[in-house]
Amino acid sequence: LPPPPPSPRTTATPYGTTHRVHMADMSTGDMGGGAFVAPVDVPGGLPADDAGLGPGFIRQSRHPSAAFFHLFFKSLALLVYMFSGLFGFDFIFVCVICILLLAFDFWTVKNVTGRLLVGLRWWNYVKEDGTNEWVFESLENMSEVNANDSRVFWMGLYVPVAVWTGLLVIDTLKLQFQWLIVVFIALSMHVANIIGYTKCSSDAKAKMKNMMDQGTAGFSAMKMFAGSSAVQSAFSGLFGGNSSSQTQSVVV
């Protein structure tokens, strides 16, 4: 007899095995087969849709596309800025390309990757009286954030700032002051996202601490109520009276 076909629940790849679960099997309890409906990613396995996208730390992300584009635009802007001289590009061309890439990166990080990778989102607007107001959004349970996604996100914010700061020093020492325009624009956009997400993260931690304090206070109040003498005497009188009456009936 020919060997049976491989099970559709596992797919061998050069990086490991992607596990897939049949939604029909989960709903009916029959694990013997059936039509494949949709893949479900198992924690620790490769993503079902983007298994071949980017390096290992991106493939391990819950949102590989978001992790990829979180690093793509800022990396491309740095490459264009540092190696444009090898191809003879003039300053205007490099400046326009870098500013466009930095703008794409700022919008992507602010509106997409922060929400998907670390469960945070921020924005700032000017009120009618001229004051700025910060608005923060975050997951109710920040423990749901994947550790790899969080590491990719925050390193993607801080590492480019360090690189652009080094380029600022180099261009200043070389007296290439016109290139500082691109450097200052890059630093301003990256630092704006860092400030916004740092404030948003602090706000999320404060909300989590407040929820934990409220839960602890509620548990303590219930414990004090259950341990009060009045409650104990009421329960002892209720159950004690029943037991005494039953004892008297047995004696009679």
Side-chain angles (χ1 to χ4, degrees), residues 49-224:
D49 296 330
D50 301 296
L53 182 64
F57 63 89
I58 291 181
R59 291 195 304 270
Q60 294 172 4
S61 172
R62 289 183 179 177
H63 304 280
S65 298
F68 174 80
F69 284 104
H70 181 70
L71 305 175
F72 175 72
F73 292 117
K74 52 176 62 72
S75 300
L76 194 56
L78 282 169
L79 291 175
V80 171
Y81 183 84
M82 291 188 294
F83 299 105
S84 59
L86 298 177
F87 302 96
F89 297 138
D90 60 355
F91 168 74
I92 300 299
F93 177 80
V94 175
C95 183
V96 171
I97 296 299
C98 286
I99 290 175
L100 288 176
L101 292 172
L102 292 169
F104 292 155
D105 175 72
F106 178 82
W107 185 91
T108 302
V109 173
K110 181 178 178 294
N111 297 291
V112 180
T113 61
R115 177 173 53 85
L116 294 178
L117 297 180
V118 291
L120 300 174
R121 188 184 178 195
W122 69 272
W123 65 90
N124 179 288
Y125 67 92
V126 181
K127 301 170 64 175
E128 295 181 356
D129 57 358
T131 59
N132 292 332
E133 181 170 350
W134 293 84
V135 182
F136 305 116
E137 291 181 354
S138 61
L139 289 174
E140 293 184 358
N141 186 9
M142 294 301 294
S143 61
E144 298 178 0
V145 176
N146 182 270
N148 181 73
D149 289 346
S150 179
R151 185 163 49 250
V152 170
F153 178 80
W154 291 107
M155 288 186 66
L157 288 184
Y158 287 105
V159 171
V161 172
V163 177
W164 283 109
T165 302
L167 293 174
L168 171 65
V169 175
I170 294 174
D171 289 341
T172 303
L173 294 177
K174 290 184 176 180
L175 303 179
Q176 296 178 344
F177 298 114
Q178 63 176 357
W179 292 98
L180 295 180
I181 298 174
V182 180
V183 176
F184 284 133
I185 292 174
L187 287 174
S188 63
M189 290 186 178
H190 289 314
V191 170
N193 264 329
I194 289 177
I195 294 174
Y197 277 111
T198 301
K199 289 179 176 289
C200 191
S201 178
S202 301
D203 181 75
K205 291 178 181 178
K207 289 180 181 178
M208 283 288 294
K209 185 177 183 301
N210 187 29
M211 291 176 60
M212 294 178 62
D213 292 342
Q214 290 179 355
T216 304
F219 178 76
S220 300
M222 292 179 61
K223 187 176 180 180
M224 291 177 60

Side-chain angles (χ1 to χ4, degrees), residues 29-51:
D30 181 15
M31 300 302 290
F36 179 79
V37 177
V40 177
D41 296 337
V42 175
L46 293 179
D49 296 330
D50 301 296

